[in-house]
Every structure is written in structure tokens, then in C-alpha cells.
Amino acid sequence: GSQVALRAMAGLDNETDYLPGDDLGDLDEPVIVHPFVHTVRSRFGFTVEEESRLRYLVVGSATLSLFGASIIIYSAVRFKELSRRFFAIRLIFFLSVTDLLASVFNILGAFVDVHTVLITETSRLCYVQALGVLYFNLASIMWTSCFAFTLYRDVVPSYRRFALRAYEVYFHALCWPLPGVLSIACWRLKLLGDAGSWCAIRSSHAREYLLAFYLPLVLAFGFNLGTYVLVWWGSRERRVTRTTSLYLLAFVFVWTPSLTKAIKVYFFDNHAGFIFAAAEAICMPLQGALNAAVYGWSLPSIRDFYKSLFLGYESLDRRRGSRPPSRPPR
């Protein structure tokens, strides 16, 4: 069973080529033994070693995001007055929760046996990673769009700004259940499995992948990019608001390689190539790390907190009265 699968994936001739461990019997003639670890290629055209490298790139970026998202969550919990005064901080907090959990599931890829995934069948751990990555990436995408909507309503003068906090219940009703419905549907339809650099929706279900993940991503990508441009040009006198909009630019940076690779694979070439896959593996898990950088850059009081945390400067509590925090969108 497994040897037949190995032979087929390695492109070996059943009569003349052999794998390590084959029973050669009493053959008198010389045989050719193939080191399948180096010759077997996945459905994406990568060797086992290449897929392992891709997964470790994902783990490296996910570790940075895990650290960055943890800092945002810690600072938001410690300085609750910021969340009470500024609604945008609450949205960034929920976005960071999704980024942190997405990072955890991305890191699980380091423990998935690539040989098992490529050669025999999808492991249980691969299913767990696929479900978690799909759900929390979709939730992160939607929370970023909710943040973009809030930023737009706060800046564009043609709209009357009223209590934006009233939208929060609608944001929760959208950003938690909808990714769950899509993720569970993919699981129940048995669409989950090896997706190259991580486990998600299998490449053999390209149409379902486009509908369940890339369609929401494309819609959010266009909306967030358009909002970033409008905010940037509509808030020239509000430096902090323009700086806060960098969250949307980080979103564009994170997902551009993934969209580029998907367009190349689904519309032009079935094989994306290692460079495109590596770019996606590095950028896609970086959302939490980039958000942490923008979070510290946009608020001087948070920069003080970063200095206290990393450089041992006096705590923010002692400096709280020295200057008021800059105003992000309410």
C-alpha cells in the first residue's frame, strides 16, 4: 500500500526501480535503489525537504507574530483606560487575539510529519492545524475590515460621526460566526489537508478554496486598500489618524504574496514555484508582528510602554501624567 504510493509519487518503474526497504528476493541482476526522501515531490512540485523549509519559514514568522500580538494584548489589558477611551483600541485588541491564535496554529506546522502528509494520508494534527489556520485567518481578515470601516467613518467628512461603539455588536456577530461556518463546512465536506506551506484546504479543491477563503480575502483586500487611500488623503491634518491607517497597509503587505501566488496557480500555472511559496510563507503569518510595530508607532504612550518593557525605562504608570496620549479614532 504505502510502498505502491511512494513508487507512484516518485515516478518509479514498478519492474526495474526500487525503494529503500523493498524485498529484493534472490535477484541476480543489479538493481537501482532510489532515495525517495529526495525524489518524492508533493502535488505542489516541491520535494519533502523544500516543504519542510517552507513550514519552518512559516514557524519563524508566526513566532514573531505570536510575540507581537501578545504585547498588544498585554498592554491593552494593563492599560484599560485606552480601550475605554478609544474604540479603535478595542478593535485592535480583538484583531490581536485572532492573530495570536492564528500564530499558534501556524506554529503547529513544525510538528506535522511532512513525510506522512505527502506520502500516505493527512494526519490528525494536520486537520487540527488546517481548521485553526482557516478559522483565525478569516477572523483576522474580517476584524481588519471592521477596523477599516471604523477608521473611514471617523475620518470622511461626508458622514456624521456618531457613537461608533454601537457597531461593536455587529462586528462580533460577523467576525466570529461567519469564519466558523466556512471552516466547519470545509471540514465536514472533507476539504482540509496539505496545502503546501501549511495545512488548510487541499489544492485538489481549488474552487472551494477560492470561494471559502480567497473570495473573502479579495473583498477585504480591495476594501481595506481603498479605505487606506481615502484615509491617507482625507486626514492630512491628523497625523495620528494617518499613522493608525498603517494597520491597513500592513494587511496589504501581508496578503499580497498570497494573492499573487493564488492568481498564478489558479489562472496561469499549476505550479507557483518555490520563490512565490517562500514569499507567502514569510509574509502571511506576519500580521501580528506588523500590527505590534504600528501599535507602538501610532501612540507615544505605547512607545513609552515599549521602552519600559524592552529597555528598562521608567514605567508608563510614572509617566502617565507627563503628556496626554495622542488621539486615535474613537
Side-chain angles (χ1 to χ4, degrees):
S2 61
Q3 290 292 90
V4 172
L6 286 175
R7 195 183 304 280
M9 294 187 70
L12 305 182
D13 187 292
N14 283 334
E15 295 182 357
T16 60
D17 294 341
Y18 297 88
L19 294 168
D22 280 348
D23 184 6
L24 304 182
D26 298 326
L27 292 178
D28 294 328
E29 58 189 44
V31 297
I32 303 173
V33 177
H34 291 258
F36 72 92
V37 171
H38 302 287
T39 59
V40 171
R41 291 182 176 269
S42 72
R43 61 187 65 88
F44 306 96
F46 303 131
T47 65
V48 173
E49 289 183 347
E50 287 172 334
E51 284 229 3
S52 297
R53 292 192 193 106
L54 290 175
R55 289 176 183 269
Y56 284 114
L57 288 175
V58 171
V59 170
S61 293
T63 302
L64 293 176
S65 284
L66 181 66
F67 183 65
S70 299
I71 292 176
I72 294 177
I73 293 170
Y74 173 73
S75 64
V77 170
R78 182 178 178 185
F79 308 112
K80 295 181 180 179
E81 68 275 10
L82 290 177
S83 296
R84 286 195 295 265
R85 291 181 59 190
F86 306 122
F87 179 56
I89 299 295
R90 285 183 59 82
L91 300 185
I92 294 169
F93 170 80
F94 293 120
L95 173 60
S96 298
V97 170
T98 63
D99 290 335
L100 183 144
L101 293 172
S103 299
V104 170
F105 283 99
N106 276 319
I107 291 173
L108 282 181
F111 304 97
V112 174
D113 187 348
V114 178
H115 296 77
T116 301
V117 170
L118 297 187
I119 296 168
T120 55
E121 59 185 11
T122 302
S123 64
R124 183 172 300 177
L125 184 59
C126 185
Y127 280 122
V128 171
Q129 186 195 26
L131 194 60
V133 166
L134 185 60
Y135 176 79
F136 288 110
N137 276 340
L138 284 171
S140 176
I141 290 168
M142 293 181 182
W143 274 112
T144 307
S145 297
C146 291
F147 176 82
F149 172 79
T150 301
L151 197 63
Y152 178 77
R153 292 298 298 263
D154 186 70
V155 170
V156 176
S158 60
Y159 282 95
R160 291 183 179 179
R161 284 188 290 130
F162 56 94
L164 290 173
R165 294 176 185 272
Y167 287 105
E168 183 174 348
V169 63
Y170 300 107
F171 294 163
H172 285 286
L174 172 69
C175 296
W176 300 121
L178 184 56
V181 170
L182 293 173
S183 302
I184 292 175
C186 292
W187 170 58
R188 295 294 296 174
L189 293 173
K190 299 181 179 180
L191 306 179
L192 303 181
D194 178 40
S197 304
W198 45 73
C199 295
I201 299 178
R202 301 171 194 237
S203 62
S204 56
H205 301 289
R207 183 179 303 175
E208 291 83 355
Y209 209 163
L210 288 173
L211 292 176
F213 185 79
Y214 282 106
L215 178 59
L217 175 59
V218 168
L219 294 176
F221 190 92
F223 177 72
N224 292 346
L225 182 59
T227 302
Y228 171 76
V229 174
L230 290 174
V231 170
W232 187 259
W233 287 103
S235 59
R236 297 184 179 181
E237 304 302 323
R238 302 170 68 181
R239 185 189 65 82
V240 174
T241 301
R242 297 182 74 182
T243 303
T244 306
S245 68
L246 291 176
Y247 287 105
L248 307 183
L249 189 61
F251 176 90
V252 171
F253 174 82
V254 163
W255 290 107
T256 293
S258 184
L259 282 175
T260 304
K261 175 179 170 250
I263 291 172
K264 185 176 186 297
V265 169
Y266 293 128
F267 297 104
F268 297 101
D269 186 3
N270 288 331
H271 180 45
F274 186 80
I275 293 178
F276 282 94
E280 180 188 35
I282 293 172
C283 293
M284 190 277 286
L286 273 180
Q287 183 80 59
L290 295 179
N291 284 350
V294 177
Y295 187 70
W297 178 259
S298 60
L299 291 171
S301 55
I302 298 300
R303 287 203 295 272
D304 291 342
F305 169 68
Y306 279 10
K307 292 176 182 178
S308 172
L309 186 65
F310 297 116
L311 302 178
Y313 288 10
E314 58 182 309
S315 68
L316 180 60
D317 292 330
R318 296 180 182 177
R319 304 182 59 174
R320 207 175 271 174
S322 61
R323 58 182 172 184
S326 300
R327 179 189 176 276
R330 292 183 183 274

